[in-house]
Amino acid sequence: MPAASLLPLFGSAAGPGTLGGPAGSGAGGGGRKAAGPGAFRLTEKFVLLLVFSAFITLCFGAIFFLPDSSKLLSGVFFHSAALQPPPPPPGGQPRAPPQPGGGPAAAAAAGGPGSLERIRADHERALREAKETLQKLPEEIRRDIRQDKEKLLQDARGRKEAGGPGLPQRLFRQPVGAVGQEPADPDVRQRREKIKEMMKHAWDNYKRYAWGLNELKPISKQGHSSNLFGNIQGATIVDALDTLYIMEMKEEFKEAKEWVEKNLDFNVNAEISVFEVNIRFVGGLLSAYYLSGEEVFRKKAVELGEKLLPAFNTPTGIPWALLNIKSGIGRNWPWASGGSSILAEFGTLHLEFVHLSHLSGNPVFAEKVMNIRKVLNRLDKPEGLYPNYLNPSSGQWGQHHVSIGGLGDSFYEYLLKAWLMSDKTDEDSKKMYYDAVQAIETHLIRKSSGGLTYIAEWKGGLLEHKMGHLTCFAGGMFALGADGAPSDKTGHHIELGAEIARTCHESYDRTRMKLGPEAFRFDGGVEAIATRQNEKYYILRPEVIETYMYMWRLTHDPKYREWGWEAVEALEKHCRVDGGYSGLRDVYNNHESHDDVQQSFFLSETLKYLYLLFSEDDLLPFEHWVFNTEAHPLPVLHKDDGNKEENQK
Ligand code: DMJ
């Protein structure tokens, strides 16, 4: 019964004189019209009053006590209450801008079509759910809450991955030279095809026996885990992405990308090497993004970069070597000179971190690596040299050991490449690089009596006449840096590169297997030969081939391609096994003793540099790309592309 039709009765019941005027003058019921209020008996009035108050109670009860009445109230009575925007439509399409006063509650208030039905249906559903919940055991209720929470977290993560909050939109433009022409010379073409086939053999076996794990054990045909990555998985996949791309192995690239999308997970409780994770994972993801434009790689690179940031929480900002990426707690290698950080580790973050700032719009990454440079510039250098150890708390050098191989190597490489990657605007890194090379030439570079140029190690002023396989990268570095040297020194730097390339080739040629040892010496009557048993191994390292590739590009002297091909033949003869490629324990031995590890850098570096050695110069040209120390190509930030600011951070 509509409430309005009861009002005259209520008015009449109030008694004479309360409202005044003739009662029952409106529409009403027949016989009652003639009768005045006085015509009701007291009991009738009482019954009517009871009915009316019961009705009022019912109406208010419905409003206040039905489930979710607060929503109803805010919708119906409080039109100005803030409205939640509707959830995003499935598929992550951009949401339409909110309409003023839009949303279901406002529609109900406005009496929009079906609004009352919707409210009723909502209430019924809420009642049903409440009843169901009451029937559940506390255990089940707890489980439901847990599942709801997880779903919310997953949705939030999904939104982030789908380009939700987090990263700015970015228009992808593929840098010049991500793909190149076929080599014109058929012999070169054939050799390049062979190298691609080697990549396929390494990849297929990794896929068959160790898919998703870090590396492959090609003899025992199972996965191999290195503690450098904690329990982050998939090192070979991430390291190989760009090689697959440039070799146009499209199917393999696609399956690698899918693995990254679904499985690459940094939310793990893992203590990792900041350096290794940066050069292989961050570097690999950045290159994969710049080559393919696939957003997932940019997102993962930035996500991982953020995980590495707590490593810089030291008194000087010189990062720890090791970091637990869950707790954010860092520390240094226990063997490293009184708790020092290592030059080649903290000095090999610059290229990747500048690109992380470039791709995320967040300057924090570039700021961290620029601070490293500031700390280094404030320090006195013994004889202009950089010792390998620096204490992150005191900001003082540790033991005075200088090396262009292990512990020091890629620090020098990144000084030169920071300048090149900045489109030659980063004058600070340029100066640091050429000053360092000057000191290296004066104090470390020597010529053997047999005429081989080598780079010795320096220990507190004394030279150790030993050169590591790792040091062989320096041939390529000197040649690459020739262009920026003072004009009277250009030829000299190319020549220096050529001499180091020759020495390193000798270190290969003087072994039985034609692959180089881990370290070779120039003392005790030997030249370019390993004399200690623990220096005779070869673990599929790239540095010698890397130098051949730079020397070929910069001189086009055919001997570099010949030397590269010798290495291919040796790899095929001694390292190739049914299950992939393995390192060797002793390159001077007659028989192979395999170490049973297919290093991820074999796919990212050794095979990539070989492929580039037999490609035309238009594939990843040096004017547009620099290679990080794991051979992951990163584009030069050209100043006329609006990157000026990035280069000057
Ligand atoms: C790679 O991980 C990198 O080249 C690093 O700079 C040094 N060592 C290995 C390859 O030998």
Side-chain angles (χ1 to χ4, degrees):
M1 186 193 304
S5 56
L6 285 169
L7 285 176
L9 285 176
F10 186 72
S12 321
T18 311
L19 290 173
S25 59
R32 299 277 184 207
K33 194 174 184 180
F40 288 103
R41 282 208 310 272
L42 194 63
T43 44
E44 283 173 345
K45 281 183 190 166
F46 184 67
V47 168
L48 277 171
L49 193 64
L50 263 181
V51 169
F52 183 67
S53 51
F55 176 77
I56 295 291
T57 310
L58 202 71
C59 290
F60 276 87
I63 289 171
F64 286 105
F65 301 116
L66 276 176
D68 221 7
S69 55
S70 60
K71 267 191 212 157
L72 184 67
L73 284 173
S74 69
V76 175
F77 296 125
F78 310 128
H79 291 196
S80 60
L83 300 172
Q84 294 299 313
Q93 295 301 313
R95 177 186 295 146
Q99 300 300 314
S115 57
L116 284 174
E117 285 78 5
R118 248 199 328 273
I119 292 167
R120 198 172 299 131
D122 274 356
H123 289 163
E124 278 164 9
R125 187 176 36 78
L127 261 179
R128 228 180 15 253
E129 283 173 9
K131 260 196 231 152
E132 282 165 13
T133 307
L134 283 174
Q135 282 162 6
K136 283 184 182 167
L137 295 169
E139 219 3 79
E140 291 175 306
I141 297 174
R142 270 198 291 274
R143 191 203 51 212
D144 288 356
I145 293 173
R146 228 179 10 250
Q147 281 174 353
D148 282 356
K149 257 193 197 165
E150 270 162 24
K151 180 148 191 337
L152 275 174
L153 273 175
Q154 257 174 20
D155 287 354
R157 232 179 272 142
R159 269 201 304 281
K160 211 171 169 194
E161 273 161 22
L167 284 186
Q169 294 277 348
R170 184 173 190 277
L171 188 70
F172 175 72
R173 258 188 302 155
Q174 195 180 47
V176 178
V179 282
Q181 286 166 1
E182 282 273 287
D185 179 334
D187 291 340
V188 174
R189 220 167 34 237
Q190 210 184 351
R191 289 184 167 188
R192 196 171 82 142
E193 263 313 298
K194 171 67 197 164
I195 295 155
K196 183 169 170 178
E197 186 278 327
M198 293 167 74
M199 178 70 181
K200 189 145 177 51
H201 182 66
W203 177 260
D204 285 349
N205 280 292
Y206 165 75
K207 197 175 133 190
R208 187 168 308 130
Y209 301 117
W211 184 243
L213 302 173
N214 279 327
E215 287 170 324
L216 165 71
K217 282 163 110 37
I219 307 285
S220 42
K221 299 184 175 168
Q222 60 187 29
H224 173 251
S225 278
S226 154
N227 56 5
L228 298 172
F229 317 119
N231 48 3
I232 297 180
Q233 295 296 330
T236 294
I237 298 179
V238 179
D239 237 3
L241 276 163
D242 51 13
T243 308
L244 295 172
Y245 189 94
I246 65 162
M247 290 187 181
E248 298 179 50
M249 294 171 67
K250 297 198 172 131
E251 260 314 298
E252 291 84 352
F253 181 82
K254 189 165 160 265
E255 64 201 4
K257 186 196 116 191
E258 281 166 11
W259 185 90
V260 168
E261 263 163 355
K262 292 193 193 123
N263 302 294
L264 185 59
D265 184 11
F266 305 127
N267 295 305
V268 288
N269 187 0
E271 188 181 61
I272 50 103
S273 153
V274 174
F275 161 78
E276 293 290 351
V277 164
N278 176 60
I279 64 170
R280 301 193 202 205
F281 283 88
V282 178
L285 291 164
L286 288 172
S287 291
Y289 169 70
Y290 281 117
L291 290 169
S292 70
E294 295 285 355
E295 272 295 306
V296 61
F297 299 129
R298 180 168 75 121
K299 306 264 167 45
K300 293 275 181 191
V302 176
E303 186 193 337
L304 181 54
E306 283 167 357
K307 294 256 174 210
L308 298 182
L309 287 175
F312 295 83
N313 295 338
T314 64
T316 53
I318 295 292
W320 300 112
L322 300 166
L323 176 74
N324 182 307
I325 55 171
K326 182 155 190 246
S327 66
I329 294 173
R331 67 182 176 108
N332 276 337
W333 298 106
W335 48 262
S337 185
S340 291
S341 301
I342 289 167
L343 185 69
E345 297 200 328
F346 65 76
T348 311
L349 303 167
H350 194 98
L351 305 182
E352 296 82 359
F353 274 52
V354 165
H355 269 290
L356 286 175
S357 280
H358 181 66
L359 291 183
S360 67
N362 184 351
V364 69
F365 302 103
E367 284 163 9
K368 296 290 182 198
V369 289
M370 281 313 206
N371 176 60
I372 296 178
R373 193 185 278 179
K374 268 190 214 138
V375 173
L376 288 174
N377 274 332
R378 277 201 299 263
L379 282 166
D380 281 339
K381 282 128 216 128
E383 310 287 354
L385 296 165
Y386 289 84
N388 291 335
Y389 300 104
L390 179 62
N391 191 302
S393 303
S394 66
Q396 298 302 311
W397 298 117
Q399 191 195 338
H400 281 195
H401 172 207
V402 177
S403 151
I404 314 307
L407 306 178
D409 48 7
S410 40
F411 161 71
Y412 305 96
E413 178 186 355
Y414 272 36
L415 290 179
L416 172 63
K417 290 178 177 175
W419 174 62
L420 294 172
M421 198 179 84
S422 72
D423 206 4
K424 303 186 178 173
T425 61
D426 184 346
E427 290 295 328
D428 209 19
S429 59
K430 179 182 183 189
K431 178 170 178 356
M432 288 170 83
Y433 172 73
Y434 289 103
D435 286 354
V437 171
Q438 183 63 55
I440 291 166
E441 274 211 76
T442 310
H443 299 287
L444 272 61
I445 295 186
R446 295 288 179 268
K447 210 174 210 107
S448 71
S449 49
L452 294 177
T453 301
Y454 63 95
I455 312 176
E457 303 205 355
W458 191 85
K459 289 185 174 161
L462 294 177
L463 282 189
E464 189 179 10
H465 299 271
K466 153 187 140 175
M467 190 166 162
H469 192 290
L470 290 165
T471 321
C472 287
F473 91 95
M477 177 179 77
F478 292 142
L480 182 66
D483 198 26
S487 50
D488 58 322
K489 289 261 178 78
T490 307
H492 171 68
H493 280 235
I494 290 270
E495 192 43 41
L496 198 53
E499 286 180 26
I500 298 297
R502 183 163 80 93
T503 301
C504 292
H505 176 253
E506 285 302 312
S507 79
Y508 273 46
D509 205 44
R510 295 176 187 195
T511 70
R512 179 112 26 201
M513 299 199 177
K514 305 291 174 204
L515 290 165
E518 181 66 5
F520 43 93
R521 296 189 176 253
F522 297 85
D523 56 16
V526 301
E527 295 197 358
I529 288 178
T531 50
R532 304 186 184 181
Q533 194 51 42
N534 64 0
E535 292 173 346
K536 293 183 178 173
Y537 61 87
Y538 171 69
I539 56 167
L540 305 172
R541 285 197 191 279
E543 291 76 15
V544 176
I545 292 164
E546 175 181 350
T547 278
Y548 297 162
M549 191 280 291
Y550 280 103
M551 293 311 301
W552 162 256
R553 280 266 177 113
L554 295 163
T555 66
H556 285 160
D557 183 334
K559 75 171 175 247
Y560 296 113
R561 277 187 166 166
E562 286 316 310
W563 290 354
W565 192 249
E566 284 171 16
V568 167
E569 288 176 329
L571 285 165
E572 286 299 272
K573 191 162 172 203
H574 302 292
C575 299
R576 187 175 179 132
V577 293
D578 279 353
Y581 288 87
S582 167
L584 300 163
R585 292 213 171 85
D586 183 348
V587 287
Y588 298 93
N589 219 326
N590 284 331
H591 304 289
E592 295 93 11
S593 169
H594 291 118
D595 70 3
D596 197 14
V597 182
Q598 179 175 285
Q599 306 278 348
S600 77
F601 54 67
F602 181 65
L603 292 88
S604 76
E605 294 193 72
T606 313
L607 292 175
K608 184 187 287 126
Y609 285 135
L610 279 171
Y611 189 79
L612 290 172
L613 179 60
F614 292 96
S615 293
E616 301 289 323
D617 297 354
D618 65 344
L619 180 57
L620 302 174
F622 291 170
E623 311 87 81
H624 295 285
W625 298 87
V626 294
F627 293 89
N628 89 340
T629 196
E630 188 79 0
H632 295 306
L634 299 170
V636 169
L637 294 167
H638 288 295
K639 45 183 182 278
D640 41 2
D641 286 351
N643 294 312
K644 198 152 182 266
E645 215 180 287
E646 212 68 61
N647 291 329
Q648 287 175 347
K649 279 210 177 84

